[in-house]
């Protein structure tokens, strides 16, 4: 029997697995920077398993960026490819390409209760949309819409690139520093790994101090260790995450709840719980009451994007003619 491949392709890493019996198996994580494109990375993954490309029959690639037409270019790395060309190069019968946060959203539908941590308690409204967003190399945003039959449909988008919202004089001043550097300051400009470091440097400029840290990991580690400047930056990061999540929840009507995902947040989950995230999430003036009962969870499951890619592939094959 030929195999099904699933992949979750982000800006920095690609996660590969085989889809068998409704679960990802043979997981491997490769650095996207080590390969010129997905074909070479797929061949390397298969070689590590002792397989040839002709072992594959179908595949689903969940990619960080908008999926439109045959050509695909990832937003935060150098990879680009054509769906038909890649299908032929690998000898596949079928290749499905979806947005990575569409896959992430599908992964949320299969979470067990122990695979999510409550960041903000509330009561999920039955039959209402759910929001999925998370910072990593970029900021992914997607949504789950009830399908009327007890299941969910995914609404992908590029909500990470909305304008960064401003809610205080300090935030205005930080925005001005970053605007001089970037021109357009999107939510992703702050709510991502590179964004946390950018926010730290902008804070140093405002406060007249020399930067001590040169990576997002160093900033968050210092914050958790009690370094005052880094802690203030991480607090601001959490507040901006709350503002952006609240904005999207209002737009979507996401009274079914909000899932936070991505590789960054689990590293400081306790800090996030105690931060101003919840306050900024509901700080919407006359619409604050609308958000008051919406719960927010942090997904702690391993590789939910891969699981979602597998679920997407499975559903697609069930709908496709043999």
């Amino acid at each position: 029997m030929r195999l099904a491949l699933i992949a979750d392709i982000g800006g920095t890493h690609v996660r590969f697995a085989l889809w068998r019996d409704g679960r990802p198996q043979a997981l491997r994580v490769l650095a996207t920077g080590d390969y010129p494109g997905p074909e070479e990375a797929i061949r390397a993954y298969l070689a590590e398993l002792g397989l040839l490309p002709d072992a594959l029959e179908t595949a689903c690639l969940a990619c960080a960026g908008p999926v439109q037409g045959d050509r695909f270019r990832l937003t935060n790395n150098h990879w680009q490819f054509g769906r038909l060309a890649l299908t032929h190069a690998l000898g596949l019968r079928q290749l499905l390409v979806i947005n990575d946060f569409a896959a992430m959203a599908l992964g949320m539908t299969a979470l067990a209760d122990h695979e999510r941590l409550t960041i903000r308690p509330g009561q999920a409204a039955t039959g209402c949309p759910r929001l999925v967003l998370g910072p990593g190399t970029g900021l992914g945003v997607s949504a789950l819409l009830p399908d009327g039959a007890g299941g969910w449909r995914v609404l992908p988008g590029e909500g990470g690139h909305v304008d960064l919202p401003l809610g205080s004089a300090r935030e205005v001043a930080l925005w001005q520093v970053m605007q001089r550097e970037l021109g357009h300051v999107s939510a992703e400009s702050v709510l991502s790994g590179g964004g946390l470091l950018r926010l730290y440097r902008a804070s140093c400029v405002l406060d007249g101090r020399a930067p001590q840290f040169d990576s997002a990991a160093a900033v968050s580690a210092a914050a958790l260790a009690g370094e005052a400047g880094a802690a203030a930056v991480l607090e601001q990061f959490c507040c901006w995450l709350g503002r952006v999540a609240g904005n999207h929840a209002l737009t979507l009507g996401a009274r079914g709840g909000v899932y936070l995902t991505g590789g960054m947040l689990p590293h400081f989950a306790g800090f996030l719980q105690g931060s101003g995230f919840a306050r900024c999430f509901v700080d919407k003036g006359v619409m604050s009451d609308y958000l008051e009962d919406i719960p927010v969870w942090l997904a702690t499951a391993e590789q939910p994007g891969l699981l979602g890619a597998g679920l997407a592939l499975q559903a697609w094959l069930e709908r496709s003619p043999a």
Side-chain angles (χ1 to χ4, degrees):
M1 182 178 66
R2 296 179 73 192
L3 302 174
L5 173 79
I6 53 175
D8 180 11
I9 307 175
T12 306
H13 296 101
V14 53
R15 294 161 176 84
F16 287 120
L18 301 178
W19 182 249
R20 288 173 171 158
D21 302 321
R23 301 296 302 180
Q25 299 180 22
L27 170 69
R28 299 290 189 276
V29 181
L30 306 180
T32 56
D34 290 344
Y35 303 91
E39 179 185 346
E40 293 80 5
I42 290 170
R43 291 183 184 277
Y45 167 72
L46 293 173
E48 190 172 335
L49 299 183
L51 298 171
L52 296 173
D54 62 8
L56 296 180
E57 181 174 28
T58 59
C60 175
L61 306 184
C63 303
V67 177
Q68 304 176 82
D70 179 72
R71 293 294 304 175
F72 186 85
R73 182 190 299 271
L74 276 93
T75 302
N76 289 310
N77 71 35
H78 64 285
W79 282 13
Q80 54 181 303
F81 62 93
R83 189 183 66 82
L84 288 176
L86 186 59
T87 300
H88 294 150
L90 295 173
L92 297 172
R93 180 172 66 88
Q94 292 171 303
L95 172 61
L96 175 64
V97 180
I98 64 174
N99 175 264
D100 66 327
F101 255 72
M104 185 68 78
L106 284 172
M108 297 302 99
T109 68
L111 286 185
D113 287 343
H114 71 274
E115 293 178 315
R116 64 184 191 183
L117 176 68
T118 298
I119 299 299
R120 185 179 184 281
Q123 183 63 47
T126 303
C128 290
R130 294 185 173 184
L131 172 67
V132 182
L133 78 162
T137 303
L139 176 63
V141 180
S142 190
L144 291 165
L145 307 179
D147 67 2
W152 299 93
R153 291 185 296 116
V154 176
L155 179 65
E158 291 298 322
H161 298 278
V162 299
D163 295 340
L164 185 70
L166 305 177
S168 70
R170 173 75 176 183
E171 290 176 0
V172 171
L174 288 166
W175 178 89
Q176 289 175 325
V177 173
M178 293 185 287
Q179 194 272 338
R180 288 196 292 270
E181 172 194 353
L182 299 174
H184 177 249
V185 184
S186 68
E188 183 175 279
S189 300
V190 168
L191 300 177
S192 58
L196 177 58
L197 182 60
R198 178 177 293 112
L199 177 58
Y200 169 70
R201 289 172 173 165
S203 298
C204 289
V205 169
L206 279 188
D207 298 336
R209 52 192 171 88
Q212 296 177 262
F213 311 112
D214 59 3
S215 70
V219 173
S220 58
L224 297 180
E227 200 280 325
V233 169
L234 194 59
E235 170 68 17
Q236 181 62 67
F237 180 95
C238 293
C239 287
W240 250 321
L241 182 63
R243 293 197 193 285
V244 171
N247 282 356
H248 283 303
L250 274 180
T251 300
L252 183 64
R255 302 182 81 170
V258 175
Y259 291 103
L260 303 177
T261 69
M264 291 183 68
L265 301 183
H267 294 293
F268 51 89
F271 188 102
L272 178 63
Q273 285 179 306
S275 73
F277 172 92
R279 170 180 55 81
C280 292
F281 178 79
V282 299
D283 184 19
K284 303 300 178 190
V286 296
M287 282 291 109
S288 295
D289 289 346
Y290 182 90
L291 299 171
E292 191 59 48
D293 291 332
I294 296 179
V296 180
W297 307 287
L298 173 62
T300 58
E302 291 194 16
Q303 311 304 339
L306 266 182
L307 176 59
L311 293 173
L313 180 61
Q314 183 172 294
W316 185 59
L317 292 175
E318 289 171 355
R319 295 192 303 268
S320 300

